[in-house]
Amino acid sequence: MSILVGKHTKLIVQGITGGAGSFHAKQMIEYGTRVVGGVTPTRGGETFEGKVPVFDTVNQAVKATGANASVIFVPPPGAADAILEALSAGIELVIAITEGIPVVDMLGVRRVLEAMQAEARASGKPVPRLVGPNCPGVITPDQCKIGIMPGHIHKAGHVGVVSRSGTLTYEAVGQLTALGIGQSTCVGIGGDPVSGMDFVDVLELFQADPDTHGVIMIGEIGGGAEERGAQYIKEKMTKPVAAFIAGTTAPPGKRMGHAGAIISGGKGTASAKIDALVAAGAKVAPTPSDMATTLQSMMS
Amino acid sequence: MGDPPRQGDVYVMREGCSPPGPTLATVRLVKIHEYQGKQIFAKYGVPVPKGYPAFSVAEAETAAKKLATETGSPVVVVKAQIHAGGRGKGGGVKVAKGGASEAKVLAEAILGMQLVTHQTGPEGQKVKRLYIEQGLEMVAEMYLGMVVDRDSRRIAFMASTEGGVEIEKVAEETPEKILTVYVDPIVGLSAFQARELAFGLGLMTYGKETVAKFVRLMSALYEAFTKEDCSLLEVNPLAILKNGDVVALDAKVTFDDNASFRHKAWSDLQDKDEEDPIELEAAQAGLNYVSLDGNVGCLVNGAGLAMATMDIIKHAGRAHGVAPANFLDVGGGATQEQVTKAFSMILKSPKVKAIFVNIFGGIMKCDVIANGVVAAAKELGLKVPLVVRLEGTNVELGRKILSESGLAIQAATTMADGAKKIVDAVTGGAK
């Protein structure tokens, strides 16, 4: 039944009174997401759009609404703090949309997250998860949209999508929908060097989800996350995976927009990632226009 | 391990080789000069030699005299200040043993020279600033570097006894000579970790005071790295002096641009002479722009889609000499003015033979893109073929704006279709 988000998701929006937060809160409500509250410190007691209560703290919001997920639109100076506040309040799924969080801040967040996850695993409690930052969010079509992706391009179905790039995720979804192939859940893990869920974390959930029958994985140059994903596919994945790696033609030493996307010293190249994926049994789309057809050829 | 960071370079390293080593997380870079880095070091208590920046030969001579008085020794080092590494090998760092008059002669030679190093490319970089520094006699040179390691999600310290040389060579040939510790961001650098590197480097040879001084230096560097929001910090060489002192003879500091909101001083530290003028113009307009060698101008939203657009143009055009002229991500929240600016930059580039606009609107609305493109084209004139592919938010409105603009626009239905039309446009193939 999809992964991470669905009908059961009760969402709060941190930064709901800000420009991006309020715009996308409305869009999410319109899509059908259960937005049960918002948080903006000092604005507690107000109501958003006449129906969503605003709280001063995430703790208050969780107690009053039973929220189990939070999406963060707080600007970079306060974003890491907002993530920590959500985790501390017991939120199980934190999705950070904010772009431009200092890496030193994210090192601390990641460290706290890992400690909380270890503790939860040891005591058999639900493991808290962070998606992002600098990501489009997570959507289970027709059930729950958390983030900034255009909802109308999606269609409910059985293909999982996981990606480091926002617009390239939309591209893959657009292609799938045009072929009449629906999606179980689409997860944007974001383009920052230090972040929450990795390809492996999401692939594990797709592998375990009976509703997901195949996966499109979209990576890009830089780092080793795609290679780790390939290793997981090789060892554990029984479902077909089609992949695309952006940046085949990117020159070494030049940073391609995303903080993580740079090749240098011969590391993090597209060809190394493609080789690893092919060796793991994934099929790599030759161009970004072939992502959906590549998966289709594996599933039929 | 992977290669250690190269001066003035940023790159991503992978685990898998032995011993395990850090992978460098990169963010947009704010690079500064050695003398600026040393001013930051001094602020945090990292020992550095005395020195003064100089922008003219006269200033260099004055600085040398001043240093001679302050230190009691006539020996100074004249150092070219450019962002690229390998300055010494390129002839940009010279020792003046004979005091101010010799320093003046060296300054005359170095200031204004086109300094070529393994990092500048064959055209080199013009030297416009000098740093005049106290000359110190050292007994050993070490390497000490810090990066954000993206695999362990920790700040990593790397140290080696092979200082003063190209550290990437050491990593390749003798990786066991590079020692690494990873710092827990919650507790910070522990003294034992610094001691591990100190003993690993054999600093006991120079006395236990040297070990203690090295530990204090590492602790000060860690504080500087985190408080100043660095993404890379390198000391090569780190000198051990005759008296056992540990001194940073070089300073390579790169900041994490994401943290610029809490470092107002950074804009003053930036040296615009060191930046690509087009990329600088784009950055000032809030755009991600990278110049490339090809002939197709690209305007795309999102970094991943922008890279993929480059890839598909090259894929379709490889046999015909068609390739992207730039990487340009207008981002998700761009205004119409930014889009106009972006499209103008492409229109003004003489090497562009055709333009591909590829948009999948999410937060970015297609009508904003269409209005920006039309405004720039009307202002500057559209002299090359334009292929536009629009999808996503407000796509109908965007298409309407374009079709009513009267501009000669070829609409593409998919990325592949757009790439094919671009190749045809450049090669004069089938319409």
Side-chain angles (χ1 to χ4, degrees):
Chain A
M1 232 1 242
S2 71
I3 66 166
L4 293 170
V5 305
K7 289 270 180 226
H8 63 281
T9 303
K10 290 203 274 180
L11 181 72
I12 57 165
V13 179
Q14 288 176 256
I16 195 166
T17 57
S22 60
F23 177 81
H24 290 289
K26 275 181 231 164
Q27 302 272 312
M28 290 187 281
I29 293 166
E30 237 168 71
Y31 192 82
T33 305
R34 290 165 71 195
V35 177
V36 296
V39 174
T40 299
T42 74
R43 301 283 290 271
E46 293 182 17
T47 313
F48 176 78
E49 289 287 289
K51 49 188 174 243
V52 178
V54 178
F55 301 89
D56 285 322
T57 71
V58 178
N59 251 327
Q60 291 168 359
V62 170
K63 281 200 185 101
T65 66
N68 53 17
S70 176
V71 63
I72 288 166
F73 286 100
V74 176
D81 182 59
I83 297 172
L84 291 174
E85 182 179 2
L87 289 170
S88 161
I91 296 277
E92 282 164 33
L93 177 65
V94 182
I95 298 174
I97 308 299
T98 310
E99 180 180 355
I101 304 179
V103 71
V104 163
D105 295 4
M106 282 310 300
L107 288 173
V109 169
R110 176 78 203 190
R111 176 67 175 78
V112 170
L113 176 70
E114 282 172 9
M116 291 178 81
Q117 287 175 332
E119 203 178 324
R121 281 195 191 99
S123 57
K125 286 183 187 146
V127 176
R129 295 181 188 278
L130 169 68
V131 178
N134 189 14
C135 79
V138 182
I139 183 169
T140 294
D142 294 347
Q143 293 189 37
C144 179
K145 163 182 132 111
I146 301 181
I148 59 178
M149 65 291 280
H152 69 271
I153 63 171
H154 297 82
K155 172 187 161 75
H158 303 288
V159 170
V161 179
V162 57
S163 170
R164 264 169 80 184
S165 150
T167 43
L168 216 41
T169 316
Y170 311 161
E171 180 68 40
V173 168
Q175 289 173 20
L176 286 168
T177 302
L179 290 174
I181 303 171
Q183 306 91 44
S184 53
T185 303
C186 306
V187 185
I189 57 176
D192 275 4
V194 176
S195 56
M197 292 184 82
D198 215 341
F199 283 118
V200 173
D201 304 316
V202 179
L203 289 172
E204 273 175 358
L205 297 182
F206 279 141
Q207 173 63 22
D209 173 36
D211 234 24
T212 299
H213 302 165
V215 175
I216 291 182
M217 167 180 162
I218 304 164
E220 60 190 28
I221 53 166
E226 289 80 4
E227 285 87 338
R228 289 194 295 274
Q231 192 64 30
Y232 177 81
I233 291 168
K234 192 176 188 175
E235 288 166 5
K236 303 275 171 66
M237 201 93 186
T238 57
K239 298 175 182 180
V241 179
F244 177 73
I245 304 294
T248 311
T249 60
K254 292 275 190 182
R255 197 183 73 105
M256 293 290 142
H258 281 165
I262 186 165
I263 305 172
S264 205
K267 314 285 183 192
T269 64
S271 59
K273 293 172 189 301
I274 290 168
D275 290 349
L277 286 161
V278 169
K283 227 171 167 178
V284 178
T287 80
S289 258
D290 306 314
M291 292 187 282
T293 48
T294 301
L295 183 67
Q296 192 181 34
S297 74
M298 299 173 82
M299 292 179 74
S300 54
Chain B
M1 67 166 285
D3 309 310
R6 190 189 325 222
Q7 289 200 0
D9 203 349
V10 228
Y11 56 131
V12 178
M13 296 174 269
R14 286 242 315 109
E15 65 204 315
C17 319
S18 68
T23 58
L24 174 54
T26 66
V27 278
R28 191 183 303 179
L29 303 171
V30 185
K31 292 185 194 173
I32 60 172
H33 287 296
E34 173 200 356
Y35 75 92
Q36 297 166 323
K38 282 183 173 163
Q39 286 164 359
I40 290 171
F41 280 12
K43 187 174 144 193
Y44 287 89
V46 178
V48 292
K50 275 184 195 288
Y52 299 99
F55 295 80
S56 68
V57 173
E59 279 180 28
E61 193 184 6
T62 311
K65 279 182 191 158
K66 219 167 156 185
L67 283 172
T69 316
E70 286 173 7
T71 64
S73 156
V75 183
V76 297
V77 188
V78 180
K79 303 173 105 174
Q81 299 294 290
I82 62 168
H83 284 173
R87 292 169 298 162
K89 239 183 192 171
V93 179
K94 296 266 160 96
V95 181
K97 289 190 174 138
S101 56
E102 195 186 339
K104 188 188 167 194
V105 174
L106 292 175
E108 273 165 353
I110 298 173
L111 200 62
M113 80 184 281
Q114 206 67 25
L115 183 53
V116 180
T117 81
H118 67 288
Q119 289 182 9
T120 58
E123 70 282 3
Q125 176 72 33
K126 191 171 180 158
V127 180
K128 293 186 172 177
R129 303 179 188 199
L130 296 174
Y131 190 48
I132 314 300
E133 194 173 62
Q134 162 192 22
L136 290 171
E137 227 177 303
M138 51 190 168
V139 292
E141 292 178 273
M142 308 282 165
Y143 169 89
L144 188 60
M146 293 174 76
V147 294
V148 174
D149 173 45
R150 58 192 289 165
D151 284 339
S152 65
R153 283 99 171 182
R154 299 275 193 279
I155 290 169
F157 270 96
M158 291 166 295
S160 172
T161 51
E162 309 298 298
V165 296
E166 280 176 41
I167 196 68
E168 44 271 61
K169 225 173 232 173
V170 180
E172 196 157 304
E173 291 162 11
T174 47
E176 71 282 359
K177 287 192 175 166
I178 295 179
L179 311 169
T180 310
V181 293
Y182 300 90
V183 183
D184 185 316
I186 291 178
V187 288
L189 178 73
S190 295
F192 82 87
Q193 294 183 301
R195 285 198 304 272
E196 261 176 23
L197 292 191
F199 293 121
L201 292 172
L203 295 187
M204 266 308 274
T205 322
Y206 312 101
K208 61 180 182 185
E209 268 308 305
T210 298
V211 170
K213 281 171 179 165
F214 179 84
V215 169
R216 279 201 295 276
L217 178 138
M218 266 185 72
S219 164
L221 277 181
Y222 181 76
E223 200 188 347
F225 192 101
T226 50
K227 292 240 170 85
E228 297 292 331
D229 280 297
C230 299
S231 55
L232 175 132
L233 200 156
E234 259 189 317
V235 184
N236 189 19
L238 178 75
I240 312 297
L241 306 186
K242 245 185 194 159
N243 65 2
D245 278 358
V246 185
V247 178
L249 283 202
D250 194 13
K252 178 92 205 160
V253 176
T254 305
F255 297 125
D256 168 8
D257 186 55
N258 278 356
S260 58
F261 63 82
R262 57 190 176 206
H263 299 281
K264 300 295 176 221
W266 283 359
S267 55
D268 299 332
L269 294 175
Q270 200 179 13
D271 181 356
K272 296 197 164 45
D273 293 334
E274 293 275 345
E275 316 276 336
D276 176 317
I278 298 173
E279 290 175 18
L280 190 67
E281 185 187 348
Q284 280 165 348
L287 302 165
N288 269 316
Y289 186 101
V290 178
S291 295
L292 301 167
D293 296 331
N295 43 20
V296 177
C298 305
L299 188 154
V300 190
N301 68 322
L305 191 63
M307 272 191 282
T309 304
M310 287 162 44
D311 295 343
I312 202 166
I313 290 171
K314 195 107 180 222
H315 185 86
R318 190 169 285 132
H320 314 281
V322 179
N326 66 278
F327 164 94
L328 172 57
D329 166 19
V330 295
T335 60
Q336 190 186 312
E337 287 69 34
Q338 282 173 301
V339 175
T340 307
K341 172 82 188 169
F343 200 67
S344 301
M345 288 179 62
I346 294 172
L347 283 176
K348 280 190 227 162
S349 167
K351 62 186 177 184
V352 167
K353 301 284 177 272
I355 301 173
F356 188 12
V357 173
N358 184 22
I359 300 296
F360 208 121
I363 332 175
M364 172 53 76
K365 299 179 183 78
C366 289
D367 53 314
V368 172
I369 294 284
N371 279 324
V373 166
V374 170
K378 290 221 161 126
E379 193 191 318
L380 297 169
L382 180 64
K383 296 171 195 80
V384 295
L386 170 61
V387 177
V388 179
R389 186 276 183 127
L390 288 182
E391 253 341 305
T393 310
N394 291 3
V395 59
E396 294 308 326
L397 189 54
R399 285 179 184 155
K400 186 160 169 270
I401 292 164
L402 290 177
S403 68
E404 286 172 0
S405 70
L407 293 170
I409 294 171
Q410 301 184 49
T413 48
T414 65
M415 281 178 82
D417 182 40
K420 184 181 176 302
K421 284 188 164 122
I422 275 289
V423 172
D424 288 347
V426 175
T427 58
K431 290 270 149 72

